[in-house]
Amino acid sequence: MKIALLGYGKMGHVIERVALSRGHEIVLRKTSENTFEGLEKADVAIDFSIPDAAVSNISACLHTNVPIVSGTTGWLSSYESMVALCNEKNGAFIYGSNFSLGVNIFFELNAHLARIMSKFDQYKVSMEEIHHTQKLDAPSGTAITLAEDIIANSDYSGWALEHAKEDEVLIDAKRIENVPGTHTVVYNSEVDAIEIKHTAHNREGFALGAVLAAEWLVGKTGVFTMKDVLALK
């Protein structure tokens, strides 16, 4: 499989290593210093860039009829327009706030726990997310997904980074050197607390999941998520 890497930072390098180990070929390493030349040769593209570049990267792929997997966060105000473009071009698109297999299992546990805890109003939910200092957005896309799944399965109406209202999920976003990603969801009451936590040890899990998603996406048409890739629906 021929892969275009859109974004060639730390994650791009790890994705390249994982892709090569699985027998794939890299035909484009897109940075701010070069163009999309060579994109048309790709069977699929993987975007791990920056928020300001994500929309142009995804658009370029959809206009070139190249399936696109995007793990860039912080650009979701334009998500619906990318979905519309994908449908217009009869393309293939997967966005994931986190491609780690473990995190996607964690998403399922979080949603299930939220459904259970919605019956017990003595517990107040909150969340902590910790990432490396190079991460540009806060809260993380993963934290937002976790919060949205809690909201969808409970009476909470939204989330806040600070000064959360009674019906909002409080997210405490921290940036600490050399932390790949840690997410903790806590239900706290006066008598006890229930906690679920996912800790990434390195970037390999994110990279493997992105490559698996790219392998799965080739030959398909439509807008998908990691739930589709992992058959979690």
Side-chain angles (χ1 to χ4, degrees):
M1 192 168 72
K2 295 180 179 180
I3 299 175
L5 294 179
L6 309 183
Y8 196 53
K10 291 181 179 179
M11 268 303 300
H13 281 79
V14 180
I15 290 170
E16 177 179 45
R17 187 167 66 247
V18 171
L20 293 176
S21 74
R22 295 176 66 84
H24 303 309
E25 176 186 356
I26 308 301
V27 296
L28 171 62
R29 298 167 180 85
K30 177 74 175 69
T31 71
S32 60
E33 305 299 320
N34 61 358
T35 68
F36 287 102
E37 184 178 354
L39 178 60
E40 70 282 353
K41 300 176 184 177
D43 298 311
V44 66
I46 300 177
D47 167 57
F48 272 81
S49 56
I50 59 174
D52 289 344
V55 172
S56 62
N57 287 346
I58 297 165
S59 297
C61 291
L62 294 174
H63 282 291
T64 314
N65 197 31
V66 174
I68 171 69
V69 172
S70 178
T72 304
T73 59
W75 63 273
L76 288 188
S77 59
S78 300
Y79 176 76
E80 292 303 329
S81 65
M82 292 299 97
V83 169
L85 181 60
C86 180
N87 291 331
E88 176 190 334
K89 297 295 182 180
N90 203 31
F93 173 40
I94 292 177
Y95 165 74
S97 61
N98 195 311
F99 281 90
S100 160
L101 306 187
V103 164
N104 280 277
I105 295 169
F106 188 65
F107 286 155
E108 296 300 304
L109 292 173
N110 173 64
H112 183 62
L113 181 58
R115 286 191 289 272
I116 295 172
M117 299 307 293
S118 66
K119 304 171 185 175
F120 303 99
D121 57 11
Q122 65 266 45
Y123 289 90
K124 174 67 177 175
V125 70
S126 63
M127 191 186 312
E128 178 187 76
E129 63 100 338
I130 308 172
H131 281 87
H132 50 85
T133 53
Q134 289 77 39
K135 186 166 181 60
L136 298 179
D137 54 318
S140 67
T142 301
I144 292 173
T145 298
L146 290 165
E148 289 178 343
D149 284 346
I150 292 169
I151 293 162
N153 291 283
S154 69
D155 292 330
Y156 286 93
S157 65
W159 58 266
L161 270 174
E162 54 185 27
H163 310 304
K165 299 175 183 177
E166 186 64 27
D167 64 343
E168 292 179 329
V169 180
L170 175 64
I171 303 175
D172 183 12
K174 298 178 179 178
R175 297 294 172 262
I176 299 174
E177 197 70 32
N178 298 321
V179 177
T182 301
H183 294 84
T184 307
V185 178
V186 180
Y187 289 85
N188 197 41
S189 77
E190 292 184 0
V191 297
D192 60 8
I194 299 169
E195 175 181 309
I196 57 173
K197 180 178 182 179
H198 179 273
T199 303
H201 298 312
N202 51 53
R203 291 181 171 88
E204 298 287 336
F206 310 128
L208 175 60
V211 174
L212 289 174
E215 293 171 351
W216 182 90
L217 187 60
V218 171
K220 294 182 174 64
T221 299
V223 178
F224 305 99
T225 70
M226 278 299 281
K227 286 181 181 287
D228 299 297
V229 177
L230 301 177
L232 293 175
K233 286 190 172 181

